[in-house]
């Protein structure tokens, strides 16, 4: 938001809140990695939260000025979102790299994600990341001198730790994992604060000897749009959906189609049977994949499926999700978090690997989601929901226990608190290591 903003007082006179209450500027970097869309979405949600907190402070200052009251000046937060991969010595496409771990290679990724440095031998952090691959980021940090760095991806977190060590800086580093378990390569020993999704993840960090003071259960940050209240009837009218049927939303759109191959194949397999569900209306979101959208429309037309609608990219996805009675989706961290925020029951579709397996385990163990692995199971579940819609109520109730719609604001406020704290120059957080491994306690969760 702008540093200068004019407001109207109660008497109708123009008042500049900042001119009467000058502010200092605090620089915050929110760093993600362009590996899929979730890490960037989380980073943008945090940036939006800072902007909204700034706007709230501006209005409070204007209100105090209008009443002739003194108002304590608060800093303005200049928040910049960065893709760590753009600072690499070798710039590569993170999305294409992520696609290498789909299909037949998924089990290898699962082994890497779940078993590397997640037992007793753990990764602390070190300068190796920046020395080998990301010296440009160190230079950038030295140039802008941030007051804090928030990281929504492990690469970003490790490079931030490296930069702080190499520069001898003291800015706080906040790590925000965007799934419901913490991967083993987060820089556990040199992170000022872990903002985790739930207590399940906090148990993992305790076993990794992360002090209680350096962790906070905030939830995963989703855009504030997913926590707004929507009129379901109005949203259905907006999207041309029937008001008298159960709406089932299939989230099949993605930046990268390859991870969705199995998911989309399952949709293809159930198409011949969807005409049976006369009291249901299916919505398939194809996203920006025009080829897949055209394929789906051909299939729907050829089969005469009057109860199926195909959408391309939807700009107001939160409203569409809130209008649905059931969402069928993959188990990505941001996707399931958005479902939790809009309070729509979800069905996690397909076998899950790596972090998505951790998401499925957490959600199903708490009764917060359905999970099916085959198209046959999905059809059976749809039939059950069609006959007994009330069975989704228990899922929604359980999901509400892990729903944290204000995560982005809690993370922003936690970062502001850290910025305002004094630094202990002798703290172990600032020790310099090329690589730091350490021995932890017995893992909290069996992998």
């Amino acid at each position: 938001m702008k540093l200068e903003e004019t407001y109207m007082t109660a008497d109708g006179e123009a008042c500049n809140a900042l001119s009467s209450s000058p502010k200092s500027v605090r620089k915050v970097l929110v760093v993600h990695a362009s590996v899929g869309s979730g890490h960037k979405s989380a980073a943008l949600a945090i940036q939006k939260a800072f902007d909204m907190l700034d706007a709230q402070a501006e209005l409070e200052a204007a209100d105090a000025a209008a009443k002739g009251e003194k108002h304590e000046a608060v800093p303005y937060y200049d928040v910049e979102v960065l893709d760590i991969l753009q600072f690499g010595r070798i710039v590569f496409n993170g999305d294409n790299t992520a696609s290498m771990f789909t299909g037949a290679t998924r089990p290898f990724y699962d082994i890497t994600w779940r078993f590397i440095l997640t037992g007793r031998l753990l990764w602390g952090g070190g300068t190796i990341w920046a020395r080998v691959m990301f010296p440009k980021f160190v230079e950038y940090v030295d140039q802008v001198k941030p007051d804090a760095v928030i990281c929504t991806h492990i690469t970003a977190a490790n490079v931030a730790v490296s930069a702080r060590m190499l520069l001898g800086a003291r800015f706080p580093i906040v790590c925000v994992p965007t799934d419901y378990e913490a991967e083993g390569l987060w820089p556990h020993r040199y992170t000022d604060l872990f903002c985790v999704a739930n207590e399940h993840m906090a148990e993992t960090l305790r076993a990794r000897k992360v002090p209680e003071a350096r962790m906070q259960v905030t939830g995963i940050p989703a855009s504030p749009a997913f926590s707004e209240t929507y009129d379901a009837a109005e949203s259905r009218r907006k999207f041309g959906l029937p008001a008298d049927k159960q709406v089932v939303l299939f989230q099949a759109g993605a930046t990268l189609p390859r991870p969705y191959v199995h998911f989309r194949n399952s949709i293809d397999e159930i198409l011949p049977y969807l005409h049976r569900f006369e009291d249901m209306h299916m919505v398939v979101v194809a996203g920006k994949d025009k080829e897949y959208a055209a394929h789906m429309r051909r299939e729907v037309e050829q089969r005469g499926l009057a109860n199926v609608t195909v959408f391309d990219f939807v700009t107001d996805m939160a409203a569409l999700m809130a209008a649905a009675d059931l969402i069928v989706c993959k188990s990505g961290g941001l996707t399931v978090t958005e479902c939790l925020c809009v309070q729509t029951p979800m069905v996690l579709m397909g076998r899950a690997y790596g972090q998505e397996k951790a998401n499925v385990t957490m959600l199903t163990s708490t009764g917060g989601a359905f999970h099916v692995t085959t198209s046959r199971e999905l059809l059976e579940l749809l039939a059950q929901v069609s006959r007994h819609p009330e069975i989704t109520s228990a899922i929604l109730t359980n999901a509400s226990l892990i729903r944290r719609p204000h995560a982005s604001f809690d993370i922003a406020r936690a970062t502001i608190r850290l910025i305002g704290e004094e630094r202990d120059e002798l703290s172990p957080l600032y020790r310099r290591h090329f690589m730091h491994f350490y021995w932890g306690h017995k893992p909290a969760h069996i992998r």
Side-chain angles (χ1 to χ4, degrees), residues 43-188:
L44 293 174
I46 295 169
Q47 182 188 47
K48 180 67 174 177
F50 270 101
D51 287 345
M52 293 177 73
L53 290 175
D54 275 337
Q56 180 182 356
E58 295 283 359
L59 291 173
E60 290 174 355
D63 184 58
K67 296 176 181 178
E69 300 173 352
K70 290 184 178 181
H71 189 274
E72 182 180 353
V74 293
Y76 164 80
Y77 293 91
D78 176 16
V79 182
E80 184 177 8
V81 174
L82 301 173
D83 178 3
I84 192 62
L85 300 186
Q86 295 303 309
F87 291 86
R89 194 185 297 271
I90 301 173
V91 178
F92 62 92
N93 188 302
D95 288 337
N96 290 341
T97 304
S99 293
M100 295 171 59
F101 298 99
T102 59
T105 61
R106 288 184 299 168
F108 296 102
Y109 175 69
D110 192 43
I111 291 171
T112 301
W113 198 91
R114 297 174 64 222
F115 294 99
I116 301 300
L117 298 176
T118 58
R120 302 294 293 274
L121 178 64
L122 297 167
W123 171 249
T127 63
I128 180 174
W129 294 75
R131 286 184 181 276
V132 174
M133 278 292 292
F134 296 96
K136 291 180 182 178
F137 185 76
V138 179
E139 294 173 8
Y140 188 74
V141 169
D142 191 32
Q143 174 189 336
V144 301
K145 293 179 172 48
D147 293 278
V149 177
I150 305 172
C151 306
T152 63
H153 189 272
I154 58 164
T155 302
N158 279 292
V159 176
V161 164
S162 293
R164 185 169 70 177
M165 287 182 177
L166 291 171
L167 295 172
R170 297 292 185 267
F171 56 81
I173 295 173
V174 179
C175 289
V176 185
T178 56
D179 290 289
Y180 288 85
E181 185 55 287
E183 191 169 354
L185 285 174
W186 286 95
H188 299 100

Side-chain angles (χ1 to χ4, degrees), residues 104-330:
T105 61
R106 288 184 299 168
F108 296 102
Y109 175 69
D110 192 43
I111 291 171
T112 301
W113 198 91
R114 297 174 64 222
F115 294 99
I116 301 300
L117 298 176
T118 58
R120 302 294 293 274
L121 178 64
L122 297 167
W123 171 249
T127 63
I128 180 174
W129 294 75
R131 286 184 181 276
V132 174
M133 278 292 292
F134 296 96
K136 291 180 182 178
F137 185 76
V138 179
E139 294 173 8
Y140 188 74
V141 169
D142 191 32
Q143 174 189 336
V144 301
K145 293 179 172 48
D147 293 278
V149 177
I150 305 172
C151 306
T152 63
H153 189 272
I154 58 164
T155 302
N158 279 292
V159 176
V161 164
S162 293
R164 185 169 70 177
M165 287 182 177
L166 291 171
L167 295 172
R170 297 292 185 267
F171 56 81
I173 295 173
V174 179
C175 289
V176 185
T178 56
D179 290 289
Y180 288 85
E181 185 55 287
E183 191 169 354
L185 285 174
W186 286 95
H188 299 100
R189 304 296 273 181
Y190 301 99
T191 293
D192 293 77
L193 185 67
F194 273 95
C195 292
V196 296
N198 54 17
E199 192 61 36
H200 179 93
M201 293 176 67
E203 290 179 12
T204 295
L205 295 182
R206 291 187 188 103
R208 296 177 184 175
K209 295 185 178 180
V210 175
E212 199 72 33
R214 293 187 197 161
M215 65 178 83
Q216 181 175 334
V217 178
T218 60
I220 295 174
S223 169
F226 290 92
S227 301
E228 294 179 10
T229 300
Y230 295 92
D231 185 323
E234 176 60 32
S235 293
R236 289 194 180 191
R237 283 194 293 271
K238 173 183 175 181
F239 290 105
L241 302 176
D244 58 344
K245 293 186 177 183
Q246 297 178 69
V247 173
V248 181
L249 173 63
F250 291 82
Q251 290 189 307
T255 304
L256 298 176
R258 188 171 175 183
Y260 276 74
V261 168
H262 297 282
F263 185 88
R264 291 175 173 181
N265 285 343
S266 296
I267 297 176
D268 285 347
E269 290 170 359
I270 69 171
L271 280 176
Y273 307 97
L274 293 184
H275 66 276
R276 300 177 181 176
F277 300 99
E278 297 180 355
D279 56 348
M280 283 184 164
H281 191 88
M282 317 298 176
V283 177
V284 180
V285 176
K288 296 180 179 180
D289 192 334
K290 296 187 180 299
E291 184 178 343
Y292 176 67
H295 159 75
M296 285 300 303
R297 289 192 174 97
R298 284 194 302 270
E299 291 291 319
V300 168
E301 182 179 0
Q302 291 173 3
R303 298 181 186 280
L305 296 171
N307 64 336
V308 178
T309 299
V310 179
F311 287 140
D312 294 291
F313 182 76
V314 176
T315 55
D316 196 0
M317 195 64 190
L320 179 59
M321 291 171 66
D325 296 290
L326 190 67
I327 296 175
V328 183
C329 58
K330 277 172 51 54

Side-chain angles (χ1 to χ4, degrees), residues 328-349:
V328 183
C329 58
K330 277 172 51 54
S331 49
L334 259 293
T335 298
V336 301
T337 298
E338 290 167 356
C339 291
L340 291 172
C341 287
V342 299
Q343 302 183 78
T344 302
M346 71 186 102
V347 180
L348 307 178
M349 175 66 197

